[in-house]
């Protein structure tokens, strides 16, 4: 599993494998197949993974039932084939990150932590990052009639054109700005339907540019030349047929320039800025944002006589040199969900302003004059989504650039920081306000995170992955390690609750007999009791028995977590059989890391501080949400508070499943569930021991049985090492049934 696995060790394992197979003639397996059957390519290669559900061809694997002396021998060989994985990436840092994905205790991360060579990326991805100044061949105007282009006309095109039309009239009224008025009317027609049409820059400045730097992107187009763009080479000289431009005043010596910059440019800049913002937020319309930015930053600041528009059907200009400035063919592209800015996904970039809005509105508008508590709670809890992404990116960057010990420490400390920040903030606020409801909400959120990671995340990944790949296989042995840890963790967390049920005293607030009298009127009759609960505070049961048990469990669970780390990372790392393939580069030469270790650490600290502030705002304004009479407080805790911070992890799991890597999809949920039970809950118990906030590790019956049933169910489904959409549907349906139980359950007593 370590990165030190070299080609020699790989070849040695292959020879050893071949020798072992030669001793068992009843089942012949090709060693190459056994090594590369489940070959995991890095997503940067844009290559489709082989479907692990397909059995090896007869050419590679011969195991007929009549030839095998023992069927389980073949099954064990098949299981060994399934457990072997080869990672092929372009640099050592990416190899570290992918190997960490298979390590226990490391959060799984799909996005790249290093910059990938642009020339090695697919044409689809290259199109996303290309500038809108490349003229491409196309079949004709009908090629541009698409849903995205029509949506552009309805959303942006008509009012951008209207703005240019009105500004053009204004420029005509000034008389001095007549050239800009003509330009505005030309651009009015252009922006109504820009697809396939091109905006060129012409002028003597470009001719000088071509003389000084022959490789620049300019072209010499004459009347006789019908080509779109001609890139001059280093040997080209001045074309004799190009006429000289008439003399003109310098750009900044004209009165019309200042009239334009004072009256015409500002309103158009506002319009394009608004279009740029809206289209960027919509993500899939980023080409419109690029088009608006190019227009404001370049085109509108050129002299009007240097701007030339040409349609897709007519590109013959006057005999002046030209350079394409803007040429857009499609207003929308569905693949822009892959777009990144400095390695950060565009959705995480777009959600970052929510953090600023939440902090400004939450801490400035204390009297709720501009926003209600519901709005503040929604913005505060939503802002945790991008912050969770930045924390995950920082953890993955530091882990990929460090040894596994540092990575394990970083994952253990910062991996649960988002949830712990919210839980501790809620407990502190509930203790100061003497509100026991927040403690129950924290317990519901802990249980909801556990149920979501055990049922929903694996289930939704199985469904999406199964719809694409029919049947997917995973290493059942490594999954068994996570299953065992889940059993240990859930049993430890709910052990005090079971103990209290066995030895606690059941106390009821009000009891009436069947005849309607009080409890003293008929001591022998049947009674109907309300608000029954186990009395733990009165007497010595809690102080002398349950509380020491809680501390004991809280000490044993982290110890079990450390043992799991040692087992999977050191003594039994061969369970995962992760090898770095031959295509991996050695060293860090030429590798550009998006975030260095120090930058990742600073971002982790900043994101943690911002998460604390947003969690404080969420707990401050959660009370109106909890007071809703039609929604149980249990339901709010197990859904909103539990699953919103895990949205980046859900996205990672789905991406792994789509790439036929269901093993990592299942490990995403298991890793979080184990950290909840073995790290987060013991930390909360430890925090309560030093700062008594009233947190007691005793859960309601619904939390207890829902968690135990979920662990049993998921272990039953994982036992065969196969997954499909039906098994995923079963997990999701059970999860929805449990949510329905929480939705219709009454709120905790006293809330």
């Amino acid at each position: 599993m370590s990165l030190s696995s070299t080609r020699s060790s790989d070849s040695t394992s292959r020879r050893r494998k071949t020798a072992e197979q030669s001793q068992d003639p009843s089942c012949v397996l090709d060693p190459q197949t056994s090594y590369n059957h489940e070959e995991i390519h890095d997503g940067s290669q844009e290559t489709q993974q082989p479907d692990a559900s397909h059995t090896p061809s007869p050419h590679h694997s011969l195991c007929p039932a009549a030839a095998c002396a023992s069927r389980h021998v073949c099954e064990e060989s098949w299981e060994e084939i399934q457990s072997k994985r080869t990672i092929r990436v372009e640099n050592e840092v990416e190899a570290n990150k992918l190997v960490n994905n298979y390590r226990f205790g490391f959060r799984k991360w799909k996005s790249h932590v290093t910059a990938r060579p642009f020339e090695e990326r697919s044409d689809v991805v290259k199109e996303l990052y290309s500038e809108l100044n490349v003229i491409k061949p196309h079949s004709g105007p009908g090629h541009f009639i698409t849903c995205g282009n029509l949506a552009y006309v309805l959303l942006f095109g008509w009012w951008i054109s209207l703005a240019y039309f009105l500004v053009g009239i204004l420029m005509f009224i000034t008389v001095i700005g007549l050239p800009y008025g003509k330009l505005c009317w030309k651009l009015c027609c252009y922006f109504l339907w820009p697809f396939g049409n091109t905006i060129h820059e012409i002028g003597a400045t470009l001719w000088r540019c071509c003389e000084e730097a022959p490789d620049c992107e300019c072209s010499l187009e004459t009347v006789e030349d019908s080509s779109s763009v001609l890139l001059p080479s280093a040997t080209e000289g001045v074309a004799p047929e190009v006429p000289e431009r008439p003399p003109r005043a310098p750009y900044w010596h004209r009165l019309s320039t200042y009239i334009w910059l004072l009256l015409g440019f500002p309103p158009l800049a506002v319009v394009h800025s608004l279009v740029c913002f809206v289209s960027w937020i919509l993500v899939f319309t980023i080409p419109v944002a690029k088009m608006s930015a190019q227009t404001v930053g370049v085109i509108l600041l050129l002299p009007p006589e240097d701007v030339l528009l040409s349609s897709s059907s007519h590109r013959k200009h006057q005999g002046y040199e030209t350079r394409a400035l803007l040429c857009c063919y499609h207003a929308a592209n569905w693949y822009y969900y892959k777009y990144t800015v400095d390695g950060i996904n565009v959705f995480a970039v777009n959600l970052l302003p929510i953090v600023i809005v939440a902090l400004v509105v939450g801490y400035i508008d204390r009297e709720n004059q501009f926003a209600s508590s519901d709005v503040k709670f929604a913005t505060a809890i939503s802002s945790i989504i991008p912050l969770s992404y930045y924390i995950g990116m920082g953890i993955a960057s530091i882990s990929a650039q460090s040894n596994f010990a540092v990575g394990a420490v970083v994952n253990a400390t910062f991996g649960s920081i988002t949830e712990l920040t919210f839980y501790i903030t809620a407990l502190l606020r509930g203790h100061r306000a003497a509100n026991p409801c927040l403690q129950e909400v924290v317990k519901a959120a802990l249980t909801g995170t556990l149920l979501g990671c055990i049922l929903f995340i694996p289930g939704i990944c199985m469904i999406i992955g199964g719809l694409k790949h029919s049947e997917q296989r995973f290493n059942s042995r490594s999954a068994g390690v996570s299953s065992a840890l889940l059993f240990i963790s859930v049993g430890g967390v709910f052990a005090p609750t079971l103990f209290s049920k066995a030895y606690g005293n059941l106390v009821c607030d009000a009891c009436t007999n069947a005849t309607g009298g009080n409890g003293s009127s008929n001591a022998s009759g049947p009674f109907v009791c309300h608000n029954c609960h186990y009395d733990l505070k009165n007497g010595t049961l809690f102080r002398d028995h349950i509380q020491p048990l809680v501390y004991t469990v809280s000490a044993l669970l982290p110890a079990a977590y450390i043992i799991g780390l040692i087992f999977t990372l050191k003594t039994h790392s061969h369970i995962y059989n992760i090898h770095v393939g031959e295509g991996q580069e050695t060293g860090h030469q030429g590798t550009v890391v998006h975030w260095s270790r120090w930058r990742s650490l600073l971002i982790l600290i900043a994101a943690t501080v911002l998460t604390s502030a947003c969690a404080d705002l969420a707990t401050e304004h959660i009370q109106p949400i909890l007071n809703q009479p039609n929604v149980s407080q249990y339901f709010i805790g197990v859904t909103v508070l539990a699953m919103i911070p895990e949205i980046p992890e859900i996205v990672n799991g789905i991406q792994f499943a789509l790439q036929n890597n269901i093993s990592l999809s299942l490990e995403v949920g298991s890793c979080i569930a184990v950290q909840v039970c073995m790290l987060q809950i013991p930390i909360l118990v430890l925090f309560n021991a030093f700062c008594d906030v009233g947190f007691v590790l005793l859960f309601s019956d619904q939390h207890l049985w829902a968690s135990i049933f979920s662990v049993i169910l998921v272990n039953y489904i994982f036992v065969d090492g196969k997954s499909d959409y039906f098994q995923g549907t079963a997990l999701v349906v059970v999860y929805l049934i449990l949510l329905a139980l929480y939705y219709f359950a009454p709120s905790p007593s006293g809330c």
Side-chain angles (χ1 to χ4, degrees):
M1 184 168 155
S2 68
L3 287 176
S4 59
S5 303
T6 59
R7 301 181 193 175
S8 60
S9 61
D10 291 344
S11 60
T12 303
S13 63
R14 296 178 191 176
R15 291 194 297 269
R16 183 169 60 251
K17 178 71 179 174
T18 306
E20 293 172 356
Q21 292 166 356
S22 62
Q23 296 175 4
D24 185 10
S26 61
C27 185
V28 181
L29 294 171
D30 190 333
Q32 185 67 21
T33 305
S34 67
Y35 182 76
N36 284 329
H37 179 77
E38 186 179 353
E39 188 176 84
I40 297 180
H41 295 276
D42 183 34
S44 65
Q45 307 300 326
E46 265 85 26
T47 56
Q48 181 64 40
Q49 286 182 236
D51 191 347
S53 63
H54 293 169
T55 59
S57 62
H59 175 73
H60 292 290
S61 178
L62 300 174
C63 188
C68 284
S70 176
R71 183 176 181 81
H72 74 274
V73 175
C74 292
E75 292 177 352
E76 290 178 358
S77 301
W78 173 260
E79 197 68 31
E80 189 173 354
I81 292 173
Q82 292 300 316
S83 66
K84 287 189 178 293
R85 296 175 174 86
T86 300
I87 296 177
R88 289 198 175 99
V89 288
E90 62 272 9
N91 57 68
E92 183 181 353
V93 177
E94 285 298 327
N96 266 327
K97 187 210 72 174
L98 292 180
V99 170
N100 289 338
N101 283 342
Y102 290 94
R103 286 172 169 165
F104 169 75
F106 286 71
R107 287 213 167 184
K108 321 308 172 189
W109 193 253
K110 177 64 178 64
S111 301
H112 281 70
V113 296
T114 59
R116 299 155 58 190
F118 187 76
E119 60 276 2
E120 296 180 5
R121 310 187 74 172
S122 66
D123 294 337
V124 173
V125 177
K126 290 180 181 179
E127 178 69 20
L128 303 181
Y129 297 94
S130 63
E131 299 294 334
L132 301 181
N133 58 1
V134 180
I135 302 177
K136 305 175 183 177
H138 53 83
S139 57
H143 177 70
F144 306 122
I145 301 178
T146 62
C147 295
N149 293 350
L150 295 176
Y152 162 84
V153 176
L154 297 177
L155 294 177
F156 306 108
W158 67 271
W159 57 280
I160 296 178
S161 298
L162 179 62
Y164 274 98
F165 181 78
L166 296 177
V167 171
I169 293 178
L170 178 62
M171 290 294 100
F172 279 119
I173 293 176
T174 62
V175 179
I176 299 176
L178 182 63
Y180 287 98
K182 295 179 180 179
L183 175 63
C184 287
W185 281 10
K186 292 179 182 179
L187 294 177
C188 170
C189 300
Y190 175 84
F191 281 106
L192 184 63
W193 186 264
F195 311 109
N197 303 325
T198 308
I199 297 180
H200 298 268
E201 178 187 7
I202 59 177
T205 56
L206 278 179
W207 183 249
R208 289 194 300 270
C209 166
C210 289
E211 289 180 339
E212 298 173 1
D215 293 331
C216 67
E217 295 181 358
C218 59
S219 63
L220 303 178
E221 299 192 8
T222 61
V223 176
E224 293 81 6
D225 186 10
S226 60
S227 60
S228 301
V229 176
L230 294 177
L231 296 178
S233 64
T235 58
E236 288 181 340
V238 179
E241 62 271 20
V242 176
E244 295 183 359
R245 299 290 305 274
R248 55 181 180 174
Y251 180 72
W252 294 105
H253 293 178
R254 308 177 192 177
L255 182 60
S256 61
T257 299
Y258 297 96
I259 296 294
W260 165 251
L261 294 178
L262 289 176
L263 300 179
F265 180 79
L268 294 178
V270 171
V271 169
H272 279 291
S273 299
L274 181 61
V275 171
C276 188
F277 174 78
V278 173
S279 57
W280 181 273
I281 291 297
L282 295 177
V283 175
F284 302 106
T285 56
I286 286 181
V288 180
K290 292 182 178 181
M291 184 168 57
S292 294
Q294 179 74 358
T295 302
V296 173
V298 178
I299 297 174
L300 295 183
L301 297 178
L302 290 174
E305 64 272 13
D306 285 356
V307 179
L308 179 65
L309 279 71
S310 63
S311 63
S312 58
S313 58
H314 180 73
R315 298 193 184 276
K316 294 183 179 181
H317 319 309
Q318 293 180 354
Y320 301 115
E321 64 274 14
T322 64
R323 179 178 66 181
L325 295 178
L326 184 60
C327 187
C328 183
Y329 296 96
H330 298 285
N333 189 335
W334 297 112
Y335 288 97
Y336 266 101
Y337 72 89
K338 297 182 177 181
Y339 196 80
T340 60
V341 180
D342 195 21
I344 307 172
N345 187 268
V346 63
F347 287 102
V349 175
N350 289 350
L351 290 175
L352 196 57
I354 297 180
V355 180
I356 302 175
V357 173
L359 296 177
V360 171
V361 174
Y363 285 109
I364 293 180
D365 184 23
R366 287 290 188 178
E367 304 298 329
N368 294 345
Q369 296 179 354
F370 303 101
S372 63
S373 293
D374 295 343
V375 174
K376 292 180 179 179
F377 173 78
T379 55
I381 201 69
S382 300
S383 63
I384 296 180
I385 299 175
L387 293 176
S388 299
Y389 176 91
Y390 286 96
I391 290 175
M393 180 74 174
I395 292 173
S397 297
I398 293 178
S399 301
Q401 301 173 69
S402 309
N403 56 45
F404 79 93
V406 175
V409 172
V410 171
N411 278 268
T413 52
F414 287 98
S416 302
I417 198 68
T418 302
E419 297 86 349
L420 284 174
T421 300
F422 176 79
Y423 300 151
I424 293 175
T425 304
L427 291 174
L428 287 173
R429 186 171 294 277
H431 178 68
R432 288 195 296 263
N435 184 5
C437 297
L438 289 180
Q439 181 186 150
E440 295 300 323
V441 169
V442 169
K443 294 179 182 178
L446 287 168
T447 307
T449 305
L450 189 63
L451 297 178
C453 295
I454 294 176
L455 297 175
F456 179 74
I457 295 181
I460 196 67
C461 293
M462 284 182 176
I463 292 175
I464 296 177
L467 291 176
K468 182 176 181 180
H469 300 287
S470 181
E471 182 180 89
Q472 296 176 293
R473 292 177 179 265
F474 55 90
N475 187 352
S476 59
R477 193 176 179 192
S478 61
V481 176
S482 300
S483 300
L485 288 170
L486 276 177
F487 266 118
I488 296 172
S489 58
V490 171
V493 166
F494 290 100
T497 304
L498 292 172
F499 186 87
S500 67
K501 304 297 181 187
Y503 298 101
N505 296 322
L506 189 64
V507 178
C508 300
D509 293 341
C511 294
T512 57
N513 59 23
T515 60
N518 55 27
S520 61
S521 63
N522 186 6
S524 61
F527 290 91
V528 178
C529 299
H530 303 278
N531 297 328
C532 296
H533 60 279
Y534 287 92
D535 188 13
L536 301 175
K537 295 297 183 182
N538 296 328
T540 61
L541 177 65
F542 178 79
R543 184 180 64 254
D544 296 340
H545 299 280
I546 296 179
Q547 194 170 32
L549 176 61
V550 169
Y551 291 149
T552 302
V553 168
S554 299
L556 291 175
L557 288 177
Y561 184 83
I562 295 174
I563 293 173
L565 287 176
I566 297 174
F567 179 82
T568 55
L569 298 182
K570 298 297 291 184
T571 62
H572 288 69
S573 60
H574 61 274
I575 292 176
Y576 298 91
N577 280 324
I578 305 302
H579 301 276
V580 178
E582 299 177 357
Q584 181 247 330
E585 298 177 3
T586 59
H588 295 269
Q589 290 81 6
T591 301
V592 179
V593 182
H594 289 306
W595 295 359
S596 64
R597 277 186 286 246
W598 284 108
R599 181 182 179 187
S600 301
L601 183 60
L602 292 176
I603 292 177
L604 277 177
I605 296 174
T608 301
V609 173
L610 293 175
T611 301
S612 302
C614 293
D616 179 68
L617 291 174
T619 55
E620 179 182 354
H621 299 282
I622 194 176
Q623 198 59 46
I625 308 296
L626 299 178
N627 293 336
Q628 296 291 332
N630 299 326
V631 181
S632 172
Q633 294 182 5
Y634 284 136
F635 181 78
I636 296 174
V638 299
T639 54
V640 178
L641 303 182
M643 296 309 294
I644 283 184
E646 310 302 337
I647 288 179
E649 305 294 336
I650 296 174
V651 174
N652 283 331
I654 292 174
Q655 290 179 332
F656 286 131
L658 289 174
Q659 290 190 344
N660 201 17
N661 197 350
I662 194 65
S663 297
L664 287 184
S665 298
L666 303 181
E667 289 292 335
V668 166
S670 299
C671 178
I672 301 174
V674 169
Q675 284 191 345
V676 168
C677 295
M678 292 189 168
L679 293 180
Q680 294 181 19
I681 291 179
I683 289 175
L684 292 178
V685 173
L686 180 65
F687 177 79
N688 185 78
F690 288 97
C691 179
D692 188 7
V693 292
F695 180 76
V696 181
L697 194 61
L698 296 175
F699 294 84
S700 66
D701 290 349
Q702 192 165 353
H703 296 332
L704 170 67
W705 301 118
S707 301
I708 293 177
F709 173 74
S710 300
V711 173
I712 295 174
L713 175 63
V714 78
N715 277 275
Y716 172 76
I717 289 183
F718 288 176
V719 72
D720 61 348
K722 303 176 184 177
S723 71
D724 49 49
Y725 74 89
F726 177 76
Q727 293 178 335
T729 302
L731 293 178
V732 173
V733 168
V734 171
Y735 178 74
L736 295 178
I737 291 174
L738 293 177
L739 290 188
L741 292 177
Y742 282 107
Y743 182 82
F744 294 106
S747 296
S749 59
C751 298

